[in-house]
Amino acid sequence: MSNRLTAQPGEIIDRSTSLSFTWNGKAVTGHQGDTIASAIAASGVDVFGRSMKYHRKRGILTADHWDPNLFVQVGDEPNVRAGSRRLEAGMVVSTQNVWPSLEFDLGAANQLVGRFLSSGFYYKTFMRPKFLWPLYQKVLKKFAPGGRIHWETSTHDAYDKRYVHPDVLVAGGGPAGMGAALAAADNGASVLLVEQYGDLGGHLLWGDDAQRAQGADLAAACRAHANIEVLVDSTVTGRYDHNWISVMQRSHDIAPERLIKARAGVMVVAPGLVERPYVFAGNDTPGVILSGAARRLINLWAVKPGNRAVVMSANADGDAAVADLERVGVEVVAVLDARKGESIVSVEGKSRVSKVALSDGRTLNADLVVTATGWTAPTSLLNMAGDRPVYDATAARYFSNSLPSNILATGGITGDGSTAELEAHGRATGVLAANRALRRRHDRVAQTARSNDPAWDKPAEMADSRTPLNRVPHPECYRSTTHGMVDFSEDVSSKDLIQASKEGFDSIELMKRYTTVTMGPSQGKLETVNAAAVLAEANQVSMAEIGTTVWRPPFAPITLGALAGRIHEPVRRSALQDWHDAHGAAPLLAGQWVRPDHYGDPMGEADNVRNNVGLIDVTPLGKLDLRGPDVSKLLELVYVNKWSKLDIGRVRYGTMVAEDGVVSDDGVTGRLGEYHWLMTCTSSGAGAVWEMLEDWLQTYRPEWQVHVTAVTGGLTSINVAGPHSRTLLERIVEDVDLSADAFPYFSVRQGTVAGVSDCIIWRIGFTGELSYEVHVPSGHALHVWEELLAQGEDLGCRPFGVEAQRILRLEKGHYIVGQDTDGLSKAPTAGLGGLVKLDKPDTIGLPELKAAYERTDLPILVGVQTDDPEIVPEEAAQIVDGGSNTILGRITSSRMSPTLGRSVCLAQVDPSLAAAGSSITVLLADGRRVTATVQEHHAHVDPEGARQRV
Amino acid sequence: MGKRPPKYSAGALIKHGLTRGDWPRMWRRPEMRSSYDVVIIGGGLHGLATAYYLAENHGITNVAVVDKGYIGGGGSGRNTAIVRSNYLTPEGVAFYDRSLDLYNTMATDLNLNIMFSKRGHLTLAHTDSALRTMHWRAEVNKLQGIDSSVIDAQEVKKQAPSLDVSQNTRYPILGALHHPPGGIVRHDAVVWGYARGADVHDVHILQETEVLDIMVEGGSGPGGKGAGGKVTGVKTSRGDISAPIVVNCTAGWASLISNMAGVPLPITTHPLQAAVTEPCKVFLPTVVVSGSLHVYVSQTDRGELVFGASVDPVGTYRVNGTLEFTEELAGHVLELMPGISKMRLLRQWSGLCDMTPDYSPVMGNTPVEGYLVDVGWGTYGFKAGPVAGETLAETIATGRNADLISAFGIERFTEGDLVGEKGAAAVGH
Amino acid sequence: MIVVPCPNCGPRNSGDLRNCGELVPRPDPSTASLVEWREYLYMRKNPADWVTETWYCRGGCRRYFTIERNTATNEIRGQEAS
Ligand SMILES: Cc1cc2nc3c(=O)[nH]c(=O)nc-3n(C[C@H](O)[C@H](O)[C@H](O)COP(=O)(O)OP(=O)(O)OC[C@H]3O[C@@H](n4cnc5c(N)ncnc54)[C@H](O)[C@@H]3O)c2cc1C
Ligand SMILES: [Zn+2]
């Protein structure tokens, strides 16, 4: 049975097309221009789904985006709004909230016990017996509404984002919004006009001939205007501070949805009005629809909404619906004029309305009930700008209260009027918007340094002299003498709300939380006003005293995909990473960087460094080039040790603490020239150290002359370590004397390496071996690396990875900030005793450093060896007090040492255990307690440093 | 002590269903008195729990809980209701574990189903160093008898099949800290349960009553406020109340209230945002947290995914939220679960968090006699509500800080003895 | 994403910058008592009102500068409405 009417004058379907799709497995066809719902309704379907709690049958209610009953699954996309989603050929559409089927749904049993399942019932039961609660929960979960997300097969496709900077952004493409856009554009503003539905026109689209013609003219003018960009099928979803506005663009060429971010000078809010349902018994029965739904079905999609109708009308739109119904041959058996107090009392019917009881006592047979009982002003976007709308009893709706200067409202949200009046108000608003936006644009151009004053004059400030739209009196029609649904998506009735108020949930926010009214997918667009009205009734106060709930963003739901956009979190790669990849390196993601963890044999790699020579790429090491006469003062300030007397050609190790005395970073800094230094710091701390230096130089010591340049990526750092490292380097370094006397430990030289000039070489020993760190301009790094390997072949030169380096440094007892220290570790914990100089006039954290050295209770970092050499305690294994559970420290680093053939550790221990020779108990992850001994040094291998000083 | 409101049960539901009678109010709207023994500022979970335990455990009932709005309108009604006890420091673990105990029996203690869903809690590790911290937490937890262990990626997949555990992602999941007793609770119900429990003892819950000033005498600061002073009462938008004890339980607004007493706090107020999707059939059985990705997610029994993140970087008292929060959130969630790209974000909201430098609360007596604080709850105060109320009530009743809160006193900031919870509390809440 | 006016780069999205919080004067470390020092470290006014705060132009000119922002409204002194 088809409900498709003959051609209607305003229809937007293209009857020459035929789009096939399936609805619950059955083949159906529709036309281009149909929504999913209009096509299904045209095919004769009344029931689209089941309600959330009671699984009541539900049909079309509003036939637009906010329709709470038209959520369907389309392929792998859940919760598609069939009321607004355009039909496409091949769609696989199904009902969501049913089990096992739409016609026969077991959940409907809840209807029978509904009287026991009042709002919040779950808070009052299932508490005993306690062991049954998890079972109840499983059952509750089964009733979760909504569609199914196919996480197994769905993917995150190509999404995109866009930025725009319109002077004026207009939300809503009805007559007022279009008028505003045109006037703003005429006055020199760049305008972005955003319309939620598929075409400009707003309510004019389903209006009479004259309205449609007016709408079409305005739309054509907007599209033709050079200053206006029109976006249809796009929703303004949010307004954030400083007019940062989000727009969701659907039907985009490359992305299923695209997020547009606009920094608008002024936003004009013109979203029109949302029709609200009337509350009476059975108001959620399929066949009870709103006047707007009737008009849209008939006029846009040529769908006959029923055969015998009862209409309740409180306004001109209701009257127009009567005319539309009659025109297409629906028998209107009664028109109840709500302005005269006539109303509907209740309806009966299971899958469709069959009987309607009226306030005059009559009961009529009908299959369609149309109500036109007033409007909700969708003030979301105004709310987001801080407005708290107030209720006007005369017009029976809410109006905005106070708006910031960069937001203007126009159209139905501000009052009533003819098309011409709405357009005129829009135009006046557009003029004002352009004035404010251009003034702002002028300010912003002028504020940008180095730009001269704008070449155009700042317009004089215009007063808001708009003539407000009328507020046409409207009866306050909210609830009949019976109870019915207030929230269709949450199955909350007026009775539930009254009960909640009596239980103490007597403010709108408490009531909302207790009953979940307005918490469903339309977020209150349909329900808020009725809910407030019922609460006012329950509390016996005026609606103005009730207030409304705050509407939160987004105005309409947005896919996670669109919000995420392209996920682009790049990994930093050194100039040598391709080489590592090509040579079998296991990648290690460390912070921002990917690094070679090892090349297959970390123990062997470490061994090779101890015996021959190895190369490791340490580029991620933070590197800052410091120049100027005051660098040594800066170093003196930011490091805990002394720096003033470092000679040119020398390097020194330093530790940084924060103002609270906690160890924050460390590294080696070398003096390359009178006014030129290179600082290194940890990879993860590189950014923070740079910012910290800038802070000191700009904020506290602006008189110091130091220039800081980050060179981490610009210099590729290669550590050449091992007994043969000098021999190797001598083969390819041209102009530096590498002999022990000429280039001693902790020195720096600049020279040419493998033909590459301007390399920096310093002699340090993180691994504990004779070693050189070579910093090469990154463009030539691969050449130097390969040359080192080639020239070192006979010396056993091999690359080593991060794991081997960790083994070597632990054998040598070098701690790692953030691993062997933590967020509370002060200098004494790290064992910096001799290094720290407390007699400086200023150094970061000085008072805390002094205080820390007075304390005797701080944990101490020590070298530890397990008494059983085979046992390698896990990093983070706790050190406990014998057999008890009292924690006295923890293992911070541990490895099997290839050099010693036994396990080695660093640990933070209670000071009572810090003396060399102390025996400690380590609790292993498997629960065993083993003993270990505190060592004299952090270093397990070569504590005297003989190997690195050769 | 031991007073009970009319009982809720399946039987009572059926009776009410049949008779269609009204349920009694959960709490009243009482007339304000001019003096109380204790005035608690803030009708969130902490204020109400404190009032409840004062009455229930100590028989102190001449108590007012004042709130400028409606009860639970602050963080207590906006949080994502994750409860767990797998913190890092022994002080933290002991404290939160007591709270979890109280949650476990709360439904029967308060005779209100708080919908505790003990579904397990996973803190993902994407790096070696994160994994090391997870081990550290697990070890400390185990020593205190907490069910907490590190599991590998395959086991993570079993716990939450929709997670992408393949290793070639930007943030590969290397493992996770698994905490089976953790879960989620219906946050509002907890607030209402305590309100109902306190109201029965004739505690006054004064909604829509804003505290404008705290009256202090004899202090060393301007106007006789500050250290060395003594509290005498509060000025409210509905008149003055005299009281020898005034308790600050105002979370995000804590500094504003404390400045009224002349007691500065180590707190900055930052918004914490959350968001929820449209419902979908339930597919995520546990709570998943990723510190590296600054995101956590759980799915309610109603099918909505609830997301949270770390606090906004810019301090403000604005709670209208930001777009970038939703963008970053979605990006990070999809790194973890690329298959849910088509789910839609339905609503975002924001609440105020009172952040301290060491991610631990500030509790107990202060340099002003009679003025107590229970603040600095940051992003983790929901789970702590019950134990905070219990220990604070004890502190008020006995005059000395309860043992469990000894690490959290305000003096630690002058003594330089901060608590090391940053690593375990920053995103995990 | 509020707009923060960098004195050098002009108005920029806050995401390009870093907020460094309420401006707290640093006491002289050689004379400050520990109590004063820790007040500087930890205690904050945290008003719901105008505050002077520091920003760092991380993605732009790398300048540190201060502005006045109202933490109740996010309005920035001398800038357009929030
Ligand atoms: C989005 C979000 C997610 C969170 N997620 C979690 C989580 O998963 N787990 C967790 O443990 N914690 C979480 N938290 C933190 C938790 O919500 C809070 O720490 C906790 O709710 C604090 O409770 P409270 O009772 O101290 O304060 P609140 O609930 O904030 O109550 C403070 C009350 O003080 C009132 N008040 C303020 N000023 C005045 C005045 N002048 N006069 C009178 N009354 C006043 C306010 O109206 C408010 O009701 C989250 C917080 C947020 C915002
Ligand atoms: Zn700049």
Side-chain angles (χ1 to χ4, degrees):
Chain A
M1 182 198 66
S2 169
N3 287 334
R4 192 75 83 179
L5 297 161
T6 53
Q8 297 299 307
E11 71 180 24
I12 58 168
I13 49 173
D14 177 354
R15 290 182 188 250
S16 69
T17 61
S18 166
L19 307 180
S20 324
F21 66 105
T22 62
W23 164 243
N24 287 333
K26 282 191 299 233
V28 186
T29 55
H31 301 297
Q32 196 81 52
D34 261 323
T35 61
I36 296 173
S38 71
I40 294 174
S43 78
V45 168
D46 294 331
V47 180
F48 279 74
R50 295 266 186 171
S51 71
M52 167 183 153
K53 192 158 129 194
Y54 301 123
H55 288 239
R56 293 166 63 94
K57 291 181 178 172
R58 291 284 173 79
I60 289 180
L61 179 68
T62 72
D64 65 2
H65 189 78
W66 309 117
D67 201 314
N69 300 340
L70 301 182
F71 282 70
V72 295
Q73 178 95 26
V74 177
D76 67 351
E77 187 179 356
N79 302 329
V80 172
R81 285 146 193 266
S84 57
R85 178 68 66 88
R86 288 294 175 95
L87 182 68
E88 287 166 32
M91 280 178 159
V92 178
V93 184
S94 57
T95 337
Q96 295 192 147
N97 206 20
V98 292
W99 186 73
S101 78
L102 180 57
E103 283 312 309
F104 177 73
D105 180 356
L106 283 178
N110 285 356
Q111 287 173 44
L112 300 178
V113 292
R115 55 162 59 176
F116 310 115
L117 305 185
S118 54
S119 277
F121 77 93
Y122 31 78
Y123 298 125
K124 300 190 178 114
T125 185
F126 303 142
M127 288 159 288
R128 281 176 198 281
K130 254 183 88 178
F131 66 86
L132 278 183
W133 167 234
L135 275 178
Y136 291 134
Q137 262 185 314
K138 279 207 181 118
V139 176
L140 286 180
K141 266 187 209 162
K142 283 261 181 293
F143 285 104
R148 194 165 116 63
I149 190 77
H150 293 253
W151 55 266
E152 306 90 336
T153 47
S154 253
T155 50
H156 177 59
D157 299 325
Y159 286 88
D160 211 354
K161 291 186 187 177
R162 176 186 167 199
Y163 290 92
V164 278
H165 302 86
D167 290 319
V168 176
L169 187 150
V170 181
M178 291 191 287
L182 286 166
D186 284 344
N187 280 271
S190 62
V191 178
L192 184 69
L193 172 59
V194 185
E195 164 55 42
Q196 179 170 12
Y197 291 103
D199 202 357
L200 291 174
H203 67 278
L204 303 179
L205 289 174
W206 55 87
D208 59 26
D209 293 349
Q211 286 176 315
R212 287 201 315 280
Q214 283 164 310
D217 287 349
L218 283 170
C222 287
R223 289 188 187 282
H225 205 299
N227 284 357
I228 302 180
E229 180 183 352
V230 176
L231 292 177
V232 293
D233 205 8
S234 301
T235 307
V236 178
T237 53
R239 186 275 182 192
Y240 302 88
D241 282 346
H242 298 193
N243 255 5
W244 184 238
I245 294 164
S246 57
V247 179
M248 200 57 240
Q249 183 182 16
R250 289 174 293 272
S251 59
H252 181 262
D253 290 347
I254 47 170
E257 278 188 345
R258 177 158 81 154
L259 179 67
I260 300 177
K261 298 187 268 186
R263 178 75 69 187
V266 172
M267 174 160 70
V268 173
V269 180
L273 294 169
V274 176
E275 196 173 15
R276 61 180 181 241
Y278 187 55
V279 180
F280 57 91
N283 66 340
D284 62 335
T285 312
V288 178
I289 66 175
L290 306 190
S291 73
R295 301 195 69 199
R296 282 187 283 274
L297 285 170
I298 294 169
N299 294 325
L300 297 179
W301 302 296
V303 173
K304 193 175 182 186
N307 295 308
R308 279 173 63 83
V310 171
V311 182
M312 171 176 172
S313 171
N315 52 45
D317 284 69
D319 304 342
V322 174
D324 283 342
L325 289 166
E326 288 179 333
R327 193 187 78 229
V328 299
V330 177
E331 185 187 347
V332 179
V333 293
V335 177
L336 305 170
D337 191 338
R339 288 153 291 202
K340 298 189 191 134
E342 298 167 1
S343 78
I344 291 171
V345 174
S346 64
V347 306
E348 274 176 43
K350 281 236 147 46
S351 296
R352 178 90 200 189
V353 171
S354 57
K355 280 200 175 65
V356 189
L358 314 182
S359 56
D360 60 13
R362 283 183 294 163
T363 299
L364 302 175
N365 290 329
D367 66 353
L368 179 67
V369 170
V370 178
T371 64
T373 53
W375 312 100
T376 300
T379 52
S380 284
L381 293 172
L382 306 180
N383 276 179
M384 294 174 208
D387 184 40
R388 295 292 169 266
V390 288
Y391 182 72
D392 177 347
T394 313
R397 65 180 200 258
Y398 288 81
F399 290 96
S400 79
N401 185 17
S402 72
L403 297 174
S405 59
N406 51 18
I407 302 283
L408 293 167
T410 183
I413 200 168
T414 68
D416 306 291
S418 65
T419 306
E421 286 166 336
L422 291 169
E423 183 195 330
H425 190 269
R427 283 193 182 264
T429 305
V431 172
L432 188 60
N435 173 260
R436 290 184 182 173
L438 293 177
R439 286 173 56 77
R440 167 188 169 275
R441 197 209 290 175
H442 195 280
D443 287 346
R444 291 194 76 178
V445 174
Q447 262 180 22
T448 309
R450 282 187 292 275
S451 82
N452 297 319
D453 276 353
W456 44 288
D457 290 336
K458 185 170 173 177
E461 186 172 352
M462 192 182 278
D464 182 356
S465 54
R466 291 174 295 165
T467 317
L469 286 168
N470 279 328
R471 296 183 182 183
V472 173
H474 192 286
E476 292 184 88
C477 294
Y478 299 108
R479 184 170 81 83
S480 182
T481 50
T482 51
H483 286 291
M485 281 301 158
V486 172
D487 191 319
F488 292 73
S489 25
E490 297 285 309
D491 263 0
V492 180
S493 73
S494 47
K495 200 158 159 200
D496 292 325
L497 298 182
I498 288 172
Q499 181 210 307
S501 164
K502 286 186 179 157
E503 280 191 70
F505 302 94
D506 52 4
S507 70
I508 187 96
E509 289 289 347
L510 282 173
M511 189 179 81
K512 163 173 136 186
R513 288 172 156 76
Y514 187 60
T515 63
T516 72
V517 69
T518 74
M519 306 276 272
S522 64
Q523 291 286 290
K525 308 280 184 313
L526 298 182
E527 310 87 356
T528 294
V529 182
N530 286 342
V534 173
L535 180 61
E537 188 190 323
N539 291 1
Q540 298 179 337
V541 297
S542 74
M543 276 187 72
E545 286 171 71
I546 293 293
T548 50
T549 65
V550 179
W551 263 325
R552 304 188 192 285
F555 181 70
I558 313 178
T559 57
L560 298 180
L563 283 170
R566 267 183 227 181
I567 297 178
H568 182 58
E569 294 204 44
V571 183
R572 294 182 76 176
R573 300 169 64 84
S574 91
L576 302 175
Q577 189 58 37
D578 284 350
W579 189 95
H580 304 318
D581 289 345
H583 290 79
L588 174 75
L589 284 170
Q592 300 176 335
W593 295 84
V594 59
R595 305 191 59 187
D597 194 13
H598 55 79
Y599 301 83
D601 175 18
M603 294 286 258
E605 290 161 25
D607 212 46
N608 191 52
V609 172
R610 291 262 180 261
N611 294 310
N612 297 308
V613 56
L615 303 181
I616 180 169
D617 176 3
V618 292
T619 304
L621 201 68
K623 293 180 283 288
L624 296 166
D625 179 280
L626 309 176
R627 293 184 196 231
D630 296 313
V631 173
S632 63
K633 290 185 195 158
L634 179 68
L635 300 177
E636 192 83 3
L637 179 76
V638 300
Y639 282 121
V640 296
N641 44 331
K642 284 267 186 198
W643 286 85
S644 49
K645 292 200 193 74
L646 191 72
D647 292 332
I648 295 171
R650 300 290 293 167
V651 300
R652 183 171 286 173
Y653 168 80
T655 301
M656 296 179 184
V657 300
E659 290 276 66
D660 61 1
V662 171
V663 175
S664 60
D665 211 289
D666 68 346
V668 163
T669 291
R671 186 169 192 181
L672 306 177
E674 179 69 18
Y675 290 164
H676 186 195
W677 309 60
L678 183 69
M679 171 187 274
T680 62
C681 52
T682 62
S683 313
S684 55
V689 169
W690 183 17
E691 294 187 2
M692 185 267 294
L693 296 183
E694 285 292 349
D695 192 11
W696 279 96
L697 291 170
Q698 293 181 34
T699 312
Y700 300 103
R701 301 287 187 268
E703 68 281 8
W704 285 358
Q705 294 181 43
V706 179
H707 198 93
V708 184
T709 311
V711 293
T712 301
L715 292 178
T716 294
S717 307
I718 302 169
N719 195 300
V720 186
H724 302 326
S725 56
R726 181 179 290 137
T727 315
L728 171 56
L729 277 182
E730 274 168 350
R731 294 179 183 174
I732 63 167
V733 173
E734 289 166 28
D735 42 12
V736 177
D737 181 351
L738 292 163
S739 66
D741 293 342
F743 192 169
Y745 188 54
F746 268 146
S747 305
V748 55
R749 300 287 179 269
Q750 282 168 281
T752 304
V753 181
V756 178
S757 57
D758 294 324
C759 293
I760 299 164
I761 309 168
W762 55 35
R763 213 190 128 181
I764 50 166
F766 195 52
T767 56
E769 294 302 318
L770 172 68
S771 70
Y772 299 85
E773 203 153 278
V774 186
H775 304 286
V776 184
S778 287
H780 302 293
L782 183 60
H783 163 71
V784 171
W785 176 267
E786 289 184 326
E787 201 56 20
L788 281 165
L789 284 170
Q791 298 290 332
E793 206 177 339
D794 58 319
L795 303 171
C797 181
R798 275 167 48 193
F800 65 105
V802 174
E803 176 57 21
Q805 190 196 35
R806 285 181 183 164
I807 295 169
L808 293 163
R809 73 91 198 175
L810 182 57
E811 288 182 338
K812 185 62 192 161
H814 288 303
Y815 67 88
I816 296 180
V817 173
Q819 172 168 348
D820 300 297
T821 71
D822 56 56
L824 294 182
S825 303
K826 307 219 165 163
T829 294
L832 299 177
L835 197 64
V836 179
K837 291 285 174 293
L838 297 177
D839 56 353
K840 299 195 240 180
D842 194 359
T843 195
I844 295 176
L846 184 60
E848 291 291 352
L849 279 171
K850 288 181 182 164
Y853 278 99
E854 313 250 297
R855 290 181 64 160
T856 52
D857 59 340
L858 296 175
I860 308 284
L861 190 70
V862 293
V864 162
Q865 293 185 359
T866 48
D867 295 345
D868 176 346
E870 297 296 320
I871 292 174
V872 186
E874 298 81 7
E875 289 177 348
Q878 298 296 297
I879 295 164
V880 291
D881 189 3
S884 86
N885 283 354
T886 308
I887 297 171
L888 292 175
R890 70 175 196 284
I891 302 290
T892 57
S893 296
S894 62
R895 284 290 185 277
M896 180 54 77
S897 157
T899 309
L900 300 178
R902 60 153 299 123
S903 77
V904 293
C905 307
L906 278 173
Q908 274 195 31
V909 298
D910 186 83
S912 64
L913 300 178
S918 303
S919 177
I920 60 175
T921 306
V922 180
L923 176 62
L924 303 181
D926 62 12
R928 274 184 300 157
R929 287 172 194 246
V930 298
T931 53
T933 306
V934 173
Q935 306 296 300
E936 190 180 346
H937 301 285
H938 288 184
H940 301 272
V941 171
D942 187 26
E944 301 77 30
R947 298 178 67 91
Q948 62 206 23
R949 288 178 196 276
V950 291
Chain B
M1 257 178 252
K3 276 199 206 165
R4 292 283 173 263
K7 201 163 162 65
Y8 293 148
S9 65
L13 264 178
I14 290 174
K15 196 172 127 223
H16 274 272
L18 293 175
T19 61
R20 314 237 157 173
D22 291 331
W23 292 97
R25 286 185 72 97
M26 286 207 191
W27 54 86
R28 298 150 302 152
R29 284 193 176 262
E31 282 302 310
M32 185 170 112
R33 295 184 198 131
S34 61
S35 87
Y36 291 92
D37 293 342
V38 180
V39 169
I40 297 170
I41 312 173
L45 170 55
H46 285 252
L48 291 165
T50 304
Y52 170 79
Y53 290 112
L54 272 175
E56 181 75 17
N57 293 358
H58 305 284
I60 300 173
T61 59
N62 185 21
V63 175
V65 179
V66 291
D67 199 290
K68 65 183 168 122
Y70 57 95
I71 59 170
S76 300
R78 296 163 190 260
N79 66 79
T80 44
I82 296 174
V83 298
R84 63 183 176 90
S85 63
N86 56 350
Y87 278 72
L88 177 59
T89 63
E91 306 88 295
V93 174
F95 186 76
Y96 290 103
D97 198 45
R98 172 65 191 154
S99 218
L100 210 51
D101 282 349
L102 291 168
Y103 270 116
N104 275 322
T105 57
M106 189 178 290
T108 42
D109 290 349
L110 297 177
N111 179 230
L112 192 83
N113 192 342
I114 58 157
M115 322 274 268
F116 188 178
S117 165
K118 216 187 247 199
R119 52 180 60 192
H121 182 280
L122 292 178
T123 313
L124 303 177
H126 304 280
T127 62
D128 279 3
S129 65
L131 205 53
R132 199 178 304 119
T133 307
M134 299 309 152
H135 277 293
W136 181 3
R137 278 166 68 180
E139 293 305 316
V140 173
N141 293 169
K142 279 190 254 172
L143 278 170
Q144 299 200 280
I146 311 290
D147 186 356
S148 172
S149 60
V150 176
I151 59 175
D152 66 13
Q154 288 321 306
E155 186 59 28
V156 169
K157 182 85 184 165
K158 275 190 210 144
Q159 298 285 334
S162 51
L163 290 176
D164 179 0
V165 299
S166 61
Q167 294 298 302
N168 52 1
T169 56
R170 174 65 183 85
Y171 297 95
I173 295 172
L174 305 182
L177 183 65
H178 183 214
H179 180 45
I184 50 177
V185 171
R186 177 84 182 106
H187 55 354
D188 290 328
V190 179
V191 171
W192 303 332
Y194 278 117
R196 176 165 165 259
D199 180 84
V200 171
H201 290 287
D202 203 28
V203 165
H204 280 191
I205 297 169
L206 305 171
Q207 302 184 77
E208 284 148 38
T209 309
E210 181 169 4
V211 171
L212 306 173
D213 202 0
I214 299 180
M215 296 174 285
V216 179
E217 281 174 358
S220 55
K225 299 191 176 191
K230 191 173 172 344
V231 154
T232 60
V234 296
K235 288 187 190 304
T236 81
S237 55
R238 296 208 288 155
D240 294 0
I241 305 175
S242 66
I245 293 180
V246 172
V247 188
N248 179 354
C249 294
T250 56
W253 299 268
S255 300
L256 308 180
I257 297 289
S258 208
N259 291 344
M260 293 176 189
V263 177
L265 291 177
I267 282 177
T268 343
T269 295
H270 286 257
L272 177 65
Q273 303 192 57
V276 63
T277 64
E278 291 181 345
C280 264
K281 298 287 176 252
V282 176
F283 65 90
L284 181 66
T286 136
V287 182
V288 176
V289 181
S290 164
S292 308
L293 287 166
H294 302 282
V295 65
Y296 60 91
V297 51
S298 68
Q299 189 172 24
T300 67
D301 292 346
R302 287 160 49 94
E304 304 145 324
L305 290 185
V306 177
F307 301 123
S310 20
V311 291
D312 287 3
V314 182
T316 177
Y317 286 84
R318 288 283 265 189
V319 288
N320 52 345
T322 64
L323 177 63
E324 55 272 26
F325 158 70
T326 61
E327 296 180 77
E328 283 162 23
L329 176 87
H332 290 158
V333 165
L334 294 180
E335 296 254 13
L336 298 174
M337 298 188 274
I340 66 165
S341 183
K342 292 194 169 84
M343 283 193 86
R344 287 188 184 76
L345 193 105
L346 178 62
R347 178 174 69 246
Q348 69 176 109
W349 69 91
S350 169
L352 298 180
C353 290
D354 37 344
M355 305 303 294
T356 58
D358 60 357
Y359 286 68
S360 297
V362 188
M363 293 185 73
N365 293 300
T366 70
V368 171
E369 191 186 332
Y371 170 67
L372 288 85
V373 291
D374 170 33
V375 299
W377 283 110
T379 63
Y380 29 85
F382 178 73
K383 71 182 68 62
V387 70
E390 189 184 52
T391 51
L392 205 66
E394 180 189 332
T395 302
I396 294 166
T398 63
R400 49 169 284 277
N401 286 351
D403 287 346
L404 268 182
I405 67 170
S406 56
F408 304 137
I410 193 167
E411 55 294 338
R412 75 179 185 275
F413 295 97
T414 28
E415 287 162 12
D417 262 327
L418 274 54
V419 184
E421 276 301 355
K422 193 164 180 169
V427 183
H429 302 342
Chain C
M1 191 66 76
I2 59 176
V3 177
V4 178
C6 170
N8 197 45
C9 307
R12 317 264 318 185
N13 278 356
S14 56
D16 294 353
L17 297 95
R18 182 162 66 82
N19 178 286
C20 310
E22 193 177 312
L23 185 68
V24 187
R26 181 175 189 257
D28 180 345
S30 54
T31 56
S33 71
L34 260 184
V35 171
E36 284 163 347
W37 186 258
R38 285 173 182 160
E39 261 171 37
Y40 150 72
L41 285 179
Y42 304 123
M43 296 302 165
R44 296 293 175 265
K45 292 206 186 74
N46 194 28
D49 204 344
W50 290 100
V51 285
T52 304
E53 63 183 6
T54 308
W55 287 79
Y56 174 58
C57 191
R58 177 168 46 184
C61 66
R62 304 203 159 262
R63 184 155 155 181
Y64 282 86
F65 59 92
T66 58
I67 58 167
E68 282 178 79
R69 181 172 60 96
N70 190 319
T71 57
T73 61
N74 274 352
E75 192 185 339
I76 292 171
R77 188 90 79 191
Q79 299 294 302
E80 56 209 73
S82 67

